[in-house]
Amino acid sequence: MEFFKSAVASAISKGPPFPYTFGDQVDIDASIWTLYNGTKREDGSNCSIFSFDVTTNKSRLPMARNAVKKLRTLRHPGVIKVLDTVETETYIYIATERLIPLRWHTKRKSMSTETLKWGLFGIAQTIKFINDEASSVHGALRVSSLYTSESGEWKVGCFEVLSSMKDDDAIIYNYGSLVPDAGRYTPPELAKSGWDAIKRNPLTAVDAYNFGTLIFEVFNGDFMSGDQAGQTKNIPPTMHSTYRRLVNANPKARVSVGNFLEQGRRSGGFFNTPLIKLTDSVDNLGMKTEEEREEFLKLVVRPTYASDANDNSDLDRLSDDFPEDYFKMKILPELLKSVEFGGGGPKVFSVVMKISTKLTDDEFETRVTPAVVRLFSSPDRAIRVSLLDNLPVMIDRLSQRIVNDKIFPQMVSGFTDVAPVVREQTVKAVLTIIGKLSDRTINGELLKYLAKTSNDEQPGIRTNTTICLGKISKNLGVSTRSKVLIAAFTRSLRDPFVHARNAALMALAVTSDAFNEDDCANRILPSLCPCLIDKERLIRDQANKAMDVYLQRIRKFASAMADTALPPPSSLEASTGQAPRMSTPQPSEAASWAGWAISSFTNKVSAAAGEITPTTNGAPRPSSAPLVADRRPPGTASASALHRQAVATPPVASARTSTSSNAHDYFHDSNGGADEEIEIDDAWGDMEEESFFDASSEAPKATKPAPSAANPFDDNGEPDFAGWLAAQAGKKTSAKPLPKGLAKASPSNGRPAVTTRVASTGGIGGAGAKKAATTAAKPAAKPVVAKKIDTAPKETGEDDGWGDGW
């Protein structure tokens, strides 16, 4: 073999240029030609090369030259396609399309009956053309002279003795008997009288007989002798009668191949099959009407249109009955052209996808991928929806570069399309292509469009967006995952569409690993709670399931946490030199938080003792005032201390007053003396949300005066003029002296003087008393403004004002 290749290379170097490279030799039956697989040097495309060695076959050189001449001049789809020829003194080369000997298939019996009929139909058309239009006789028709192309079509070759009957010196008369294996296939009349007998019989007689032997060969194997002619073993019954007429011993009684073809194409004839109808109508598919195109599609996938319930088995049946290569090479390109330019529509594209499942990855990339990329830019919504529906079929065949750089940029227009079906299918397609998108595309452009569809006016699209986000959560960036998912899912929990809420709950349940414990406790669980009392039972049930998922996770996390974040008592004593003022309940005491709190409350009430020391102006001490351990000067008693003193020694004991006092002391520790209580009260005052308990260090301009110490909670429904005047006297901004007799008395023994209320009929008496009362009554309207201040306790005229504040 290597020697032959070197000899061929040497011969080519001495002769005309031959731009093809020889490959492996192909095994064929006896022939004057040697067949090789080859490639075209220019583009690497496949071809076949027939080689004739002139030096060793000089006696058959006229036959080789006749074959070259006829192949170059006779043009028909059923004839081998010639690419190039070269002839020198030592060799003849014919480069053709890539061919496979038909003998390979018939020996293995790899073709179905439908495919054999289809192949015979094509050969019959070619022989009819040779006999009728070309007025010629092939003279060597048999299995060894036939080949299959890459598309699976049967092709006629071996034109060594093909002759025109108009030529008196036709090569067939002299060289017909030199064709290899001519003795087995020669018609009876020629075997008796020689090849000149062709002139005395119908032109079609020789090829009709050989076509009959060909039928026997393709259904039964080798044709060994003339005795087998007419035998019907394995031949379809509908073909029997016409087949026998082809091999009739009387050449004038034989039917021509053209008549055989006509008989088979009649209604109910042996050539009236779906595959043959399909091949007849595949050409110019784009020019057909809608009805003709629909009929064509029925032929392509005939079982599918009868029953759509089992597409896979139908497609398998299609591949078993019909030649797979023909669908790849001939049907598929025509269908793609019809979709792109001929208005084939979604139905045609669906058939394209069915056929493409039989393609290799390389074949899909070269034949289908370019058309798919172009179709994604089509403005036809029906085509776009069909493309999105079929993405799962072809996504594995598309490279990441193609999807990310060419297909996805065309897809994004579907997110904002005016047609809801396009938007919905685009959202669903995200799940299919997510694995082929880059991280930058996912966390940038894709999330931007999903944010729009999550607010779509169509509830189904909102629901599908939530489902989509849940399924692609692992593909999102770590830095944005929890932020995006929490925002999307918690918003969907408030969606009025029940299935959108249900989708959000299920998505939260399956993506719990995407969130940290802080997000689970602070953001997700509070959002889930309203769903527990949703009006729809479906939502309530799903909310309970989601709550269980997050509660189990929070409990597991909390069980691993430390008991407290406070420093241990030993370290606190070492740093301050003294024990903490406020004790912390020990584990044994914390068995019941309510029990601990109530015991503190009981101890606190029993420990309260002493007198209530009012301030100078009767207002409680501000929480920010400095602490004094042993002695409080006037005006520094806190509101809490004042209240406790009232509890210990109430002027008038009542159950309601006692209850409100106890409720206030419920939140104070029982350990320690007066100093401890002052410090706890200051700690509550430091909390912004509980500023209700604080009194300002400066008296506000519109502050309502507190009740006098003599009767701190009851004013009998009358304004406390004296107390109000005393408060006015304490203002630094007041430069005008009070009228005589209304000045504040000096304190004695460290205690403030008690201002008595002026009675309407006693004291000063007469008109002077009335005038003083009138004068003092004028400023009494100002305390009304103080009602706008929330930081001071309101006077309700009842003993339980503090209790009402809680």
Side-chain angles (χ1 to χ4, degrees):
M1 182 64 187
E2 294 300 326
F3 170 78
F4 175 79
K5 287 183 179 180
S6 61
V8 169
S10 176
I12 292 175
S13 64
K14 297 177 182 178
F18 189 65
Y20 298 91
T21 302
F22 284 79
D24 298 331
Q25 182 176 344
V26 179
D27 182 22
I28 58 175
D29 289 342
S31 173
I32 68 172
W33 300 95
T34 304
L35 180 62
Y36 298 90
N37 289 327
T39 55
K40 190 175 182 179
R41 294 176 186 171
E42 183 180 358
D43 56 9
S45 58
N46 293 329
C47 67
S48 292
I49 301 173
F50 289 91
S51 173
F52 179 79
D53 188 354
V54 175
T55 56
T56 58
N57 287 292
K58 277 193 175 182
S59 61
R60 294 176 174 174
L61 180 59
M63 299 170 63
R65 287 175 176 171
N66 184 70
V68 172
K69 177 182 177 182
K70 298 300 182 180
L71 284 172
R72 297 188 64 168
T73 57
L74 193 64
R75 297 292 182 178
H76 189 271
V79 174
I80 293 173
K81 181 181 180 181
V82 177
L83 304 177
D84 200 358
T85 61
V86 172
E87 181 178 352
T88 67
E89 294 180 355
T90 57
Y91 62 85
I92 297 175
Y93 297 142
I94 306 175
T96 68
E97 60 183 317
R98 175 60 66 87
L99 300 171
I100 298 174
L102 180 62
R103 177 71 70 186
W104 289 11
H105 300 288
T106 57
K107 280 185 176 180
R108 297 194 304 266
K109 297 183 178 180
S110 59
M111 293 183 175
S112 66
T113 301
E114 290 295 318
T115 303
L116 293 175
K117 288 182 180 180
W118 170 66
L120 290 171
F121 173 80
I123 298 302
Q125 287 182 312
T126 305
I127 298 301
K128 178 180 181 299
F129 171 79
I130 292 173
N131 292 161
D132 297 345
E133 279 74 12
S135 299
S136 301
V137 175
H138 185 278
L141 185 61
R142 63 207 64 174
V143 169
S144 60
S145 64
L146 303 181
Y147 301 86
T148 60
S149 66
E150 287 185 302
S151 63
E153 295 173 280
W154 292 17
K155 302 285 186 174
V156 178
C158 295
F159 283 3
E160 289 79 24
V161 293
L162 189 147
S163 304
S164 173
M165 293 297 98
K166 297 178 180 179
D167 187 0
D168 293 337
D169 253 354
I171 192 174
I172 194 171
Y173 301 137
N174 299 319
Y175 289 90
S177 58
L178 296 179
V179 175
D181 287 334
R184 285 190 291 163
Y185 300 98
T186 302
E189 69 276 12
L190 300 184
K192 293 179 181 178
S193 306
W195 287 83
D196 286 341
I198 296 176
K199 300 177 181 178
R200 300 188 294 271
N201 295 307
L203 180 147
T204 61
V206 175
D207 289 339
Y209 182 86
N210 289 150
F211 190 80
T213 60
L214 174 65
I215 292 174
F216 180 88
E217 269 189 303
V218 297
F219 285 107
N220 293 282
D222 291 334
F223 180 81
M224 303 308 297
S225 66
D227 296 338
Q228 292 177 316
Q231 295 182 7
T232 58
K233 181 183 179 181
N234 297 326
I235 297 175
T238 55
M239 199 179 288
H240 286 177
S241 60
T242 313
Y243 155 69
R244 289 193 185 97
R245 295 177 64 187
L246 284 172
V247 293
N248 194 306
N250 182 2
K252 295 182 180 179
R254 293 172 193 158
V255 296
S256 65
V257 176
N259 288 333
F260 179 83
L261 182 64
E262 185 179 349
Q263 292 281 340
R265 300 191 68 172
R266 291 178 179 177
S267 178
F270 46 83
F271 283 155
N272 189 16
T273 66
L275 180 57
I276 293 174
K277 290 180 180 178
L278 174 65
T279 56
D280 271 354
S281 58
V282 67
D283 295 330
N284 301 319
L285 180 60
M287 304 298 294
K288 297 183 182 298
T289 64
E290 184 65 29
E291 292 76 13
E292 291 173 335
R293 190 181 298 115
E294 188 73 17
E295 185 65 24
F296 172 79
L297 294 177
K298 290 180 181 179
L299 294 173
V300 175
V301 194
R302 54 191 174 92
T304 301
Y305 281 82
S307 174
D308 292 331
N310 196 356
D311 283 351
N312 291 332
S313 63
D314 293 339
L315 185 60
D316 293 340
R317 181 179 177 184
L318 180 149
S319 301
D320 292 339
D321 289 348
F322 301 162
E324 195 172 291
D325 292 335
Y326 183 75
F327 276 87
K328 294 179 183 178
M329 303 294 296
K330 297 291 287 186
I331 302 296
L332 187 61
E334 290 296 327
L335 293 176
L336 286 172
K337 285 192 290 185
S338 175
V339 173
E340 285 193 74
F341 312 112
K347 288 184 179 179
V348 175
F349 187 77
S350 298
V351 176
V352 169
M353 288 296 100
K354 290 178 184 293
I355 297 173
S356 67
T357 57
K358 300 299 182 180
L359 300 177
T360 64
D361 291 343
D362 292 338
E363 290 172 339
F364 188 92
E365 184 176 358
T366 57
R367 297 174 186 172
V368 180
T369 298
V372 168
V373 173
R374 291 193 298 268
L375 286 172
F376 264 105
S377 62
S378 172
D380 190 340
R381 288 192 177 92
I383 290 294
R384 171 63 64 85
V385 172
S386 181
L387 285 166
L388 297 174
D389 286 341
N390 286 281
L391 263 179
V393 178
M394 56 182 169
I395 189 62
D396 292 336
R397 307 289 191 92
L398 300 172
S399 65
Q400 183 173 1
R401 181 183 61 83
I402 292 293
V403 175
N404 190 77
D405 299 342
K406 295 184 178 181
I407 292 180
F408 182 76
Q410 300 292 341
M411 274 183 58
V412 295
S413 62
F415 288 109
T416 56
D417 196 273
V418 296
V421 64
V422 177
R423 300 199 301 273
E424 184 171 11
Q425 292 302 116
T426 305
V427 171
K428 291 180 179 180
V430 171
L431 300 179
T432 303
I433 67 170
I434 190 68
K436 296 294 181 75
L437 298 181
S438 65
D439 292 340
R440 182 176 181 180
T441 301
I442 294 172
N443 296 288
E445 198 168 2
L446 177 60
L447 287 182
K448 179 180 70 175
Y449 284 106
L450 289 179
K452 293 181 180 179
T453 56
S454 66
N455 290 320
D456 197 274
E457 60 182 7
Q458 296 292 326
I461 296 177
R462 298 197 302 269
T463 303
N464 285 328
T465 302
T466 300
I467 296 172
C468 177
L469 284 170
K471 291 189 175 183
I472 69 171
S473 60
K474 296 184 183 298
N475 301 94
L476 302 182
V478 177
S479 59
T480 61
R481 182 184 304 162
S482 61
K483 178 181 177 181
V484 170
L485 296 182
I486 291 176
F489 296 160
T490 54
R491 178 169 50 190
S492 296
L493 290 177
R494 303 187 299 271
D495 197 297
F497 187 53
V498 59
H499 297 292
R501 301 198 300 275
N502 190 48
L505 290 169
M506 289 191 292
L508 281 170
V510 299
T511 58
S512 59
D513 293 340
F515 314 116
N516 58 38
E517 285 74 14
D518 287 341
D519 288 337
C520 293
N522 298 325
R523 303 182 64 184
I524 297 176
L525 281 174
S527 300
L528 291 175
C529 289
C531 296
L532 295 173
I533 55 172
D534 194 275
K535 295 181 180 179
E536 299 293 334
R537 181 176 180 180
L538 173 68
I539 303 303
R540 296 195 299 271
D541 294 343
Q542 192 61 46
N544 277 287
K545 295 178 182 178
M547 287 287 289
D548 291 341
V549 171
Y550 283 92
L551 284 174
Q552 288 176 9
R553 181 175 175 186
I554 293 299
R555 287 166 181 160
K556 182 178 180 181
F557 177 76
S559 64
M561 294 177 65
D563 292 342
T564 180
L566 297 176
S570 58
S571 63
L572 183 61
E573 292 175 5
S575 61
T576 62
Q578 60 182 355
R581 292 180 179 271
M582 183 175 180
S583 64
T584 302
Q586 298 302 315
S588 60
E589 298 174 354
S592 171
W593 68 271
W596 167 71
I598 292 173
S599 65
S600 299
F601 159 75
T602 305
N603 295 335
K604 183 69 67 177
V605 172
S606 62
E611 292 182 1
I612 297 177
T613 305
T615 60
T616 303
N617 56 4
R621 181 189 65 82
S623 61
S624 58
L627 300 176
V628 179
D630 297 330
R631 182 176 179 273
R632 296 180 186 270
T636 59
S638 67
S640 299
L642 177 63
H643 187 51
R644 292 190 202 95
Q645 187 65 24
V647 172
T649 57
V652 180
S654 66
R656 189 169 186 181
T657 302
S658 176
T659 302
S660 63
S661 301
N662 293 345
H664 178 66
D665 285 5
Y666 176 85
F667 291 93
H668 292 78
D669 196 299
S670 60
N671 299 328
D675 292 342
E676 287 188 24
E677 293 174 1
I678 295 169
E679 185 171 324
I680 296 169
D681 192 46
D682 289 342
W684 278 97
D686 290 339
M687 301 181 68
E688 295 181 0
E689 295 180 359
E690 300 297 338
S691 59
F692 173 79
F693 294 99
D694 299 340
S696 177
S697 59
E698 294 184 13
K701 294 181 180 180
T703 302
K704 190 173 182 178
S708 63
N711 196 0
F713 296 105
D714 190 10
D715 59 3
N716 295 324
E718 296 181 6
D720 186 3
F721 297 127
W724 178 80
L725 289 174
Q728 294 298 317
K731 292 185 178 180
K732 296 180 181 181
T733 57
S734 177
K736 186 177 180 180
L738 292 173
K740 187 177 180 180
L742 296 180
K744 185 173 72 170
S746 301
S748 59
N749 299 327
R751 294 189 180 185
V754 178
T755 305
T756 59
R757 189 161 306 172
V758 180
S760 59
T761 57
I764 298 176
K770 293 181 181 180
K771 183 176 180 181
T774 305
T775 304
K778 288 182 181 179
K782 288 188 177 181
V784 177
V785 180
K787 292 181 180 180
K788 297 180 181 179
I789 305 300
D790 293 335
T791 57
K794 299 180 182 180
E795 292 183 4
T796 62
E798 297 178 1
D799 295 325
D800 58 349
W802 285 95
D804 290 343
W806 278 98

